[in-house]
Amino acid sequence: MTSKERVHAALKREPVDRVPIYMWYHPETTQELAELLEIPPERVVAAMGDDIRQKWVGGNYAMEGIVHEQEGGSHVDYWGIEWERIDRFNQITKYPLQNASREEILRYKYPYDKIEVLIKQMEPVLKQADDLFIGCDVSPCAFEMVYRLCSMDRALLNLAADTELSTKMLNDAGTFALTLAEIVCERFPIDWLWTGDDVAGQQRMMMNPQSWREIISPHLAGVVKVGKEKGLWVAHHCCGATRPVIPDLIEIGVDVLNPVQGNCPGMDPVELKEEYGADLAFMGGIDTQELLPNGSVNDVRRETEHLLDKMTAGGGGYILAASHTIPHETSIGNVFAMYEAAGVSREEIFDRASEIRSIK
Amino acid sequence: MSQYDELRECIISGKKARVGELTQQFLDEDKVAKEILDEGLIPGMAVVGKKFQEGEYFIPEMLLSARALNVGLDLLKPHLEASDVKPVATVVVGTVKGDIHDIGKNLVSIMLRGGGFEVIDAGVDVSPNKFVEMAKEANADIIGLSALLTTTMPSMLDTVQAFETDGMRDKVKIMIGGAPLTTEYAEKIGADGYAANASLAVEMAKKLVGV
């Protein structure tokens, strides 16, 4: 089975030779694996056997796609957001609309003139579209984009204090994501459209689920619809305790939910699988907050085996992944343990690395 | 019916202009600032905390109430200072070194202020020594440490140790909060308490200073 066939089959709940895998690595973990496997960092996921390749063409490009070599390295993205590498992650140090007047906010323009540059990110992954499952990330789609522009405090306060302004900002964010989605779905042979919008914290949703339904969800729904109308799978990323709106996500057409943080209230992956598994596939669930950085190799293997057993019940609908980027402090042994539980041995990974070296 | 009912209700519903009018009106009537605080603003925020805790309020509603609270507090502050009214306790809060996520820390500050605490916000990416310095300067009773990233959790231990090294550990209580944290982690690093949300942080802070 090619990776492309494997992921499609899993999403259709058809038989697969092994569970599909899609891990997100911190650049330092990638570097560590590259040294161990003696291959270039950009070939690590190929050696590991991951099935999906994806690029960010929206705001996430600025956060994840630009890697500063040194702490303190910074850049201002096309949206005017300033990012700085602090403790190994790009974090926002300046929100362009944090202190802007209402009029300035109303005048703010999204970087439509940069769309062609942004979607160029897809070129290298599209070369592998015959064998690999290809995704395109157009997120953040609505509220998350708004708070990257005006700060989380202001974006959240506006939801209660100035619904009109909130709606306008959400509409602008949603329209930009929708435009990106229309272009990439039309132009590229992708397998899924990746949407995302962080609206939940560790304990619960940031805003009342009813507010989300009324003023945020319609913008997200528009983006999802673009993918569905093109006959693509649509994946959706939202960290945290999103349980109250999972039925709504299914309703608007989301096929795959990520990252499934099992330690948040209501987010036990097995419970979610039982309740929503007929309509929704899942990607994620391997805990990045405690298990991966602090657990033993045996803990990780046992937990991954348990999750695979339960999450693939009913014929599939699961993609093995950590519940976000694998934290850089995770031991390489723990990384291999996840793959081993999925039937990808260390030997197989080293063999593939050796092939990669010989081709080079 | 108390004369402060409307003020309390306006805090709960986040009507900042009306909170300003009412607070000023009470001051003009020569009401004691401490009474306006204790019977209007603080009970209002206690209801906000309860509604948050029970899942009726979410962060936007809490921020709206906080905005109204601040209008009232700003008007009362000179009067409270003039009459030498002491806060419940003084808390220095900040997001630890390496981490600049601040919404959790801001919500805790809001709820502590609404609970009658003096809050000094140290900001984000705060080094262990900076926390110690600020605690000394403010004569703080409590230090509140926040973190979102697992990678910055060790900064909490470093901060606790900085207080020990400086001989300040016995003078302050240290409480922690943030997405990846637990009571067990608080115990492990020698902190005095953990709170899962901003509302519980007020209860924890009161417990730590014996109020």
Side-chain angles (χ1 to χ4, degrees):
Chain A
M1 247 178 168
T2 64
S3 285
K4 190 190 270 295
E5 290 164 347
R6 185 176 296 126
V7 183
H8 278 289
L11 295 178
K12 285 189 240 170
R13 279 70 163 173
E14 288 171 359
V16 285
D17 54 349
R18 68 158 169 82
V19 68
I21 303 174
Y22 182 27
M23 295 291 170
W24 297 348
Y25 290 101
H26 188 277
E28 286 186 18
T29 311
T30 304
Q31 185 59 38
E32 205 178 327
L33 284 165
E35 284 166 20
L36 180 72
L37 298 169
E38 299 177 66
I39 52 173
E42 62 273 18
R43 301 307 310 277
V44 163
V45 286
M48 298 303 286
D50 283 32
D51 298 291
I52 299 173
R53 297 292 185 282
Q54 175 164 303
K55 285 288 180 185
W56 321 268
V57 300
N60 277 348
Y61 165 67
M63 179 169 68
E64 310 277 3
I66 299 173
V67 178
H68 296 288
E69 294 293 317
Q70 304 292 330
E71 286 292 307
S74 68
H75 65 277
V76 175
D77 70 18
Y78 295 145
W79 289 257
I81 301 163
E82 183 184 280
W83 299 85
E84 182 180 329
R85 179 177 153 147
I86 300 172
D87 199 35
R88 303 178 173 87
F89 290 96
N90 284 342
Q91 303 190 48
I92 297 179
T93 43
K94 193 173 166 203
Y95 302 89
L97 300 178
Q98 183 167 20
N99 301 309
S101 67
R102 207 167 184 278
E103 290 65 36
E104 284 169 324
I105 289 178
L106 293 174
R107 280 201 306 271
Y108 176 80
K109 295 272 180 280
Y110 274 74
Y112 283 91
D113 57 333
K114 301 294 183 194
I115 285 180
E116 287 302 321
V117 185
L118 286 163
I119 65 172
K120 260 189 174 308
Q121 301 300 317
M122 286 297 292
E123 280 176 6
V125 297
L126 290 168
K127 288 178 190 154
Q128 307 168 78
D130 287 346
D131 300 324
L132 295 167
F133 185 95
I134 305 296
C136 183
D137 175 356
V138 296
S139 69
C141 294
F143 184 72
E144 186 180 357
M145 192 67 235
V146 171
Y147 72 66
R148 287 189 194 182
L149 291 176
C150 73
S151 84
M152 196 178 272
D153 291 59
R154 188 165 183 183
L156 283 164
L157 176 64
N158 276 348
L159 284 178
D162 194 341
T163 316
E164 193 189 324
L165 188 63
S166 258
T167 304
K168 152 82 177 144
M169 292 185 83
L170 287 163
N171 189 48
D172 288 351
T175 305
F176 187 77
L178 185 131
T179 307
L180 282 174
E182 282 175 341
I183 294 172
V184 298
C185 289
E186 183 63 39
R187 211 180 288 183
F188 303 137
I190 57 177
D191 297 290
W192 76 18
L193 179 69
W194 184 275
T195 65
D197 200 39
D198 278 337
V199 292
Q202 187 83 13
Q203 306 291 339
R204 67 170 89 174
M205 299 265 299
M206 293 184 209
M207 70 290 295
N208 190 316
Q210 195 51 36
S211 308
W212 178 88
R213 285 180 196 112
E214 285 164 16
I215 64 175
I216 298 175
S217 168
H219 306 289
L220 182 62
V223 184
V224 172
K225 195 173 164 207
V226 173
K228 296 311 294 174
E229 284 182 350
K230 284 284 169 193
L232 302 174
W233 301 107
V234 177
H236 182 70
H237 168 92
C238 178
C239 290
T242 57
R243 177 71 168 263
V245 299
I246 290 177
D248 303 87
L249 292 170
I250 295 171
E251 174 86 28
I252 63 172
V254 168
D255 299 297
V256 186
L257 183 68
N258 166 264
V260 198
Q261 277 179 264
N263 53 351
C264 296
M267 293 303 288
D268 174 16
V270 178
E271 210 181 291
L272 293 178
K273 175 79 178 175
E274 281 167 10
E275 189 159 352
Y276 304 111
D279 302 309
L280 192 64
F282 299 91
M283 170 186 146
I286 307 286
D287 175 39
T288 55
Q289 289 179 318
E290 179 60 33
L291 179 71
L292 285 175
N294 301 325
S296 68
V297 167
N298 278 337
D299 293 338
V300 174
R301 187 180 295 118
R302 204 169 40 239
E303 181 57 29
T304 310
E305 282 170 355
H306 165 74
L307 209 58
L308 286 174
D309 178 44
K310 299 289 183 188
M311 297 304 282
T312 57
Y318 181 64
I319 295 164
L320 176 63
S323 64
H324 212 288
T325 303
I326 297 170
H328 70 88
E329 65 267 39
T330 304
S331 72
I332 292 300
N334 281 0
V335 175
F336 281 124
M338 286 188 284
Y339 285 80
E340 281 161 5
V344 178
S345 68
R346 204 179 272 243
E347 193 182 14
E348 183 186 329
I349 292 169
F350 274 85
D351 283 351
R352 264 196 299 268
S354 161
E355 274 172 44
I356 289 168
R357 278 197 303 276
S358 68
I359 297 166
K360 194 178 71 168
Chain B
M1 284 288 285
S2 143
Q3 57 187 327
Y4 296 108
D5 281 356
E6 190 190 350
L7 179 58
R8 205 174 54 228
E9 287 305 317
C10 288
I11 289 288
I12 298 167
S13 53
K15 295 191 177 74
K16 66 169 179 169
R18 188 67 187 138
V19 166
E21 283 167 14
L22 287 168
T23 308
Q24 191 56 54
Q25 190 185 314
F26 288 129
L27 288 170
D28 293 344
E29 289 167 6
D30 287 332
K31 294 279 185 303
V32 178
K34 177 95 167 69
E35 185 180 293
I36 306 172
L37 179 70
D38 287 347
E39 296 191 26
L41 304 185
I42 291 179
M45 281 309 280
V47 174
V48 172
K50 187 162 173 281
K51 284 177 181 283
F52 183 79
Q53 194 59 30
E54 289 169 353
E56 182 186 339
Y57 270 19
F58 289 75
I59 302 174
E61 294 79 18
M62 193 184 255
L63 291 171
L64 199 65
S65 292
R67 197 172 65 162
L69 170 76
N70 286 337
V71 172
L73 283 180
D74 286 348
L75 288 168
L76 293 184
K77 200 168 180 192
H79 299 272
L80 292 168
E81 283 170 358
S83 51
D84 205 23
V85 172
K86 296 274 179 275
V88 174
T90 300
V91 193
V92 171
V93 299
T95 306
V96 296
K97 181 141 190 62
D99 209 325
I100 63 167
H101 294 88
D102 63 357
I103 184 79
K105 182 248 322 162
N106 295 347
L107 293 173
V108 168
S109 302
I110 288 166
M111 291 313 291
L112 285 172
R113 280 199 184 106
F117 288 80
E118 168 80 18
V119 179
I120 292 148
D121 190 338
V124 296
D125 193 19
V126 182
S127 71
N129 288 338
K130 179 82 179 162
F131 271 115
V132 175
E133 256 173 55
M134 291 192 71
K136 282 182 187 168
E137 214 170 283
N139 201 13
D141 306 289
I142 302 174
I143 311 301
L145 307 178
S146 173
L148 177 81
L149 304 169
T150 55
T151 49
T152 55
M153 285 161 62
S155 293
M156 294 197 155
L157 174 61
D158 296 343
T159 309
V160 174
Q161 284 173 344
F163 277 91
E164 272 165 15
T165 310
D166 207 87
M168 281 281 290
R169 185 65 189 89
D170 296 341
K171 298 191 175 64
V172 295
K173 298 289 184 186
I174 300 179
M175 52 191 251
I176 65 169
L181 305 175
T182 56
T183 302
E184 292 72 40
Y185 187 74
E187 282 166 11
K188 189 173 146 193
I189 64 167
D192 300 296
Y194 156 79
N197 63 45
S199 184
L200 292 173
V202 180
E203 287 173 30
M204 176 56 72
K206 283 184 179 166
K207 193 174 136 198
L208 291 177
V209 291
V211 179

